[in-house]
Amino acid sequence: QSVLTQPPSASGTPGQRVTISCSGNNSNIGSNYVYWYQQLPGTAPKLLIYRNNQRPSGVPDRFSGSKSGTSASLAISGLRSEDEADYHCAAWDDSLSPFWVFGGGTKLTVL
Amino acid sequence: QITLKESGPTLVKATQTLTLTCTFSGFSLSTRGVGVGWIRQPPGKALEWLALIYWDDDKRYNPSLKSRLTITKDTSKNQVVLTMTNVDPVDTATYYCARSPGYLDLWGRGTLVTVSS
């Protein structure tokens, strides 16, 4: 059971816009930045979005992140076949013993 | 260019101690604000953060695994070592190390560790 909640799957057709949600609580998303990772099949996670909505160099602007209260979203516009991957959200949790928490991951299928 | 590479045994027996090494290049763990963390992913399952060590030797652990984990660093060798005691088949996973300049940005390719009963 992951601390952050993501839908297990999402899908879209090429060119579409899809969003993936990530829900937490006041000790994690509600008080800290949210990060998103893309994990292509058989590879390591790659940082996609940092500090809620910032893109590392090289990440296309088709990917965008947002946060509101204790929830966050990743949006992918102009969906492409190569976007088919698992997407994970993460945040620091300010509980008694602070630590990183992840979502369960969302498998995105491009139909 | 920043790289991280995990190494260690591919197979361990239940109750044994697992020792994993992260060897990195392109950055220094003596730089203020920098850390190296470990994350694992059981086959087909979610990511789980394990531990993090900072440039000043501050250490953080996943509360649910803290009693079994130890993280250390050797700045001169550019290495971070994670030990996990009393392993169980549920610890079978791909183990990743990642750089942390405040967040986990660059990851190694990971190493698959299988725990046999």
Side-chain angles (χ1 to χ4, degrees):
Chain A
Q1 192 84 1
S2 300
V3 175
L4 304 181
T5 301
Q6 297 180 239
S9 63
S11 63
T13 56
Q16 263 191 334
R17 181 178 187 270
V18 297
T19 61
I20 296 172
S21 63
C22 176
S23 177
N25 58 38
N26 288 324
S27 67
N28 42 63
I29 293 179
S31 54
N32 292 293
Y33 292 120
V34 177
Y35 301 82
W36 290 92
Y37 298 88
Q38 178 192 59
Q39 186 174 27
L40 297 170
T43 69
K46 169 193 166 187
L47 183 64
L48 203 61
I49 298 288
Y50 67 99
R51 292 177 184 166
N52 298 337
N53 55 20
Q54 303 299 301
R55 285 185 307 276
S57 174
V59 173
D61 59 7
R62 301 186 297 106
F63 295 91
S64 62
S66 64
K67 182 186 116 170
S68 177
T70 59
S71 294
S73 291
L74 172 70
I76 308 172
S77 59
L79 197 62
R80 305 175 69 162
S81 58
E82 56 260 41
D83 298 333
E84 187 159 293
D86 291 329
Y87 292 85
H88 308 270
C89 61
W92 187 250
D93 191 297
D94 285 331
S95 56
L96 281 175
S97 184
F99 64 111
W100 280 101
V101 292
F102 286 93
T106 298
K107 181 173 180 56
L108 175 64
T109 301
V110 181
L111 302 170
Chain B
Q1 183 189 5
I2 292 173
T3 64
L4 302 99
K5 185 175 182 179
E6 306 84 354
S7 60
T10 57
L11 181 66
V12 294
K13 294 181 179 180
T15 74
Q16 288 184 337
T17 294
L18 170 65
T19 299
L20 295 169
T21 300
C22 175
T23 303
F24 56 88
S25 63
F27 68 96
S28 173
L29 200 38
S30 60
T31 301
R32 183 180 182 85
V34 175
V36 171
W38 285 93
I39 309 95
R40 70 179 180 181
Q41 185 175 34
K45 296 188 177 181
L47 297 167
E48 180 181 34
W49 176 78
L50 300 175
L52 182 61
I53 189 165
Y54 293 97
W55 86 102
D56 60 356
D57 211 38
D58 185 21
K59 301 166 187 176
R60 302 295 172 96
Y61 295 99
N62 185 317
S64 66
L65 294 164
K66 184 175 182 178
S67 64
R68 299 172 52 209
L69 298 175
T70 302
I71 190 169
T72 60
K73 63 180 175 71
D74 186 330
T75 305
S76 64
K77 292 183 178 179
N78 281 351
Q79 290 182 332
V80 170
V81 175
L82 180 75
T83 60
M84 177 183 289
T85 60
N86 193 27
V87 297
D88 181 272
V90 300
D91 295 313
T92 292
T94 296
Y95 287 76
Y96 298 99
C97 63
R99 186 186 75 151
S100 174
Y103 50 93
L104 302 164
D105 65 345
L106 296 168
W107 298 47
R109 291 188 172 184
T111 185
L112 175 62
V113 178
T114 301
V115 180
S116 65
S117 55

